[in-house]
CSV table of all heavy atoms in Angstrom, one decimal:
chain,number,residue,atom,x,y,z
B,966,ARG,N,99.2,-70.4,81.4
B,966,ARG,CA,99.6,-69.9,82.7
B,966,ARG,C,100.3,-68.6,82.6
B,966,ARG,O,100.2,-67.8,83.4
B,966,ARG,CB,100.5,-71.0,83.3
B,966,ARG,CG,101.1,-70.6,84.7
B,966,ARG,CD,100.0,-71.1,85.8
B,966,ARG,NE,100.0,-72.5,86.0
B,966,ARG,CZ,99.0,-73.2,86.6
B,966,ARG,NH1,98.0,-72.5,87.1
B,966,ARG,NH2,99.1,-74.5,86.7
B,967,LEU,N,101.0,-68.4,81.4
B,967,LEU,CA,101.8,-67.2,81.2
B,967,LEU,C,101.0,-66.2,80.4
B,967,LEU,O,101.4,-65.2,80.1
B,967,LEU,CB,103.0,-67.6,80.3
B,967,LEU,CG,103.8,-68.7,80.9
B,967,LEU,CD1,105.0,-69.1,79.8
B,967,LEU,CD2,104.6,-68.3,82.2
B,968,ASP,N,99.7,-66.5,80.2
B,968,ASP,CA,98.8,-65.7,79.4
B,968,ASP,C,98.8,-64.2,79.9
B,968,ASP,O,98.4,-64.0,81.1
B,968,ASP,CB,97.5,-66.2,79.4
B,968,ASP,CG,96.5,-65.5,78.3
B,968,ASP,OD1,96.9,-64.3,78.0
B,968,ASP,OD2,95.6,-66.1,77.9
B,969,LYS,N,99.2,-63.2,79.2
B,969,LYS,CA,99.2,-61.9,79.7
B,969,LYS,C,98.3,-61.0,78.9
B,969,LYS,O,98.4,-59.9,78.7
B,969,LYS,CB,100.6,-61.3,79.5
B,969,LYS,CG,101.6,-61.9,80.5
B,969,LYS,CD,101.5,-61.2,81.8
B,969,LYS,CE,102.8,-61.5,82.7
B,969,LYS,NZ,102.8,-62.9,83.0
B,970,ASN,N,97.3,-61.8,78.3
B,970,ASN,CA,96.3,-61.1,77.5
B,970,ASN,C,95.6,-59.9,78.3
B,970,ASN,O,95.2,-58.9,77.7
B,970,ASN,CB,95.3,-62.0,77.0
B,970,ASN,CG,94.8,-61.7,75.6
B,970,ASN,OD1,95.7,-61.4,74.8
B,970,ASN,ND2,93.6,-61.6,75.3
B,971,PHE,N,95.5,-60.0,79.7
B,971,PHE,CA,94.8,-59.1,80.4
B,971,PHE,C,95.6,-57.8,80.4
B,971,PHE,O,95.0,-56.7,80.6
B,971,PHE,CB,94.5,-59.6,81.9
B,971,PHE,CG,95.7,-60.2,82.5
B,971,PHE,CD1,96.5,-59.3,83.3
B,971,PHE,CD2,96.0,-61.5,82.3
B,971,PHE,CE1,97.6,-59.9,84.0
B,971,PHE,CE2,97.2,-62.0,83.1
B,971,PHE,CZ,97.9,-61.2,83.8
B,972,VAL,N,96.9,-57.9,80.2
B,972,VAL,CA,97.7,-56.6,80.2
B,972,VAL,C,97.4,-55.9,78.9
B,972,VAL,O,97.1,-54.7,78.9
B,972,VAL,CB,99.3,-57.0,80.1
B,972,VAL,CG1,100.0,-55.8,79.8
B,972,VAL,CG2,99.7,-57.7,81.3
B,973,PHE,N,97.3,-56.7,77.9
B,973,PHE,CA,96.8,-56.1,76.5
B,973,PHE,C,95.5,-55.5,76.7
B,973,PHE,O,95.2,-54.4,76.2
B,973,PHE,CB,96.8,-57.3,75.5
B,973,PHE,CG,95.9,-56.9,74.4
B,973,PHE,CD1,96.3,-56.1,73.3
B,973,PHE,CD2,94.7,-57.5,74.2
B,973,PHE,CE1,95.6,-55.9,72.3
B,973,PHE,CE2,93.9,-57.3,73.2
B,973,PHE,CZ,94.3,-56.6,72.1
B,974,THR,N,94.5,-56.2,77.3
B,974,THR,CA,93.1,-55.7,77.5
B,974,THR,C,93.1,-54.3,78.3
B,974,THR,O,92.5,-53.4,77.9
B,974,THR,CB,92.3,-56.8,78.2
B,974,THR,OG1,92.5,-58.0,77.6
B,974,THR,CG2,90.8,-56.4,78.0
B,975,ALA,N,93.9,-54.4,79.4
B,975,ALA,CA,93.9,-53.1,80.2
B,975,ALA,C,94.5,-52.0,79.4
B,975,ALA,O,94.0,-50.9,79.4
B,975,ALA,CB,94.9,-53.4,81.3
B,976,ARG,N,95.5,-52.3,78.5
B,976,ARG,CA,96.0,-51.2,77.8
B,976,ARG,C,95.1,-50.6,76.8
B,976,ARG,O,94.9,-49.6,76.5
B,976,ARG,CB,97.4,-51.7,77.0
B,976,ARG,CG,98.2,-50.7,76.4
B,976,ARG,CD,98.5,-49.7,77.4
B,976,ARG,NE,99.2,-50.2,78.7
B,976,ARG,CZ,100.6,-50.3,78.8
B,976,ARG,NH1,101.3,-49.9,77.7
B,976,ARG,NH2,101.1,-50.8,79.8
B,977,LEU,N,94.3,-51.6,76.2
B,977,LEU,CA,93.3,-51.2,75.2
B,977,LEU,C,92.3,-50.4,75.9
B,977,LEU,O,91.8,-49.4,75.3
B,977,LEU,CB,92.6,-52.5,74.7
B,977,LEU,CG,91.6,-52.4,73.6
B,977,LEU,CD1,92.4,-51.8,72.4
B,977,LEU,CD2,91.0,-53.7,73.3
B,978,ALA,N,92.0,-50.7,77.1
B,978,ALA,CA,90.9,-49.9,77.8
B,978,ALA,C,91.5,-48.5,78.1
B,978,ALA,O,90.8,-47.6,78.0
B,978,ALA,CB,90.5,-50.6,79.1
B,979,ALA,N,92.7,-48.6,78.4
B,979,ALA,CA,93.4,-47.2,78.8
B,979,ALA,C,93.6,-46.4,77.5
B,979,ALA,O,93.9,-45.2,77.7
B,979,ALA,CB,94.7,-47.6,79.5
B,980,SER,N,93.6,-47.0,76.4
B,980,SER,CA,94.0,-46.3,75.2
B,980,SER,C,92.9,-45.4,74.7
B,980,SER,O,93.0,-44.6,73.7
B,980,SER,CB,94.3,-47.3,74.1
B,980,SER,OG,93.1,-47.9,73.6
B,981,GLY,N,91.9,-45.1,75.5
B,981,GLY,CA,90.9,-44.1,75.3
B,981,GLY,C,89.6,-44.5,74.6
B,981,GLY,O,89.7,-45.4,73.7
Side-chain angles (χ1 to χ4, degrees):
Chain B
R966 184 86 72 199
L967 309 172
D968 190 339
K969 290 275 190 300
N970 215 48
F971 52 93
V972 173
F973 157 78
T974 313
R976 192 56 55 92
L977 187 61
S980 70

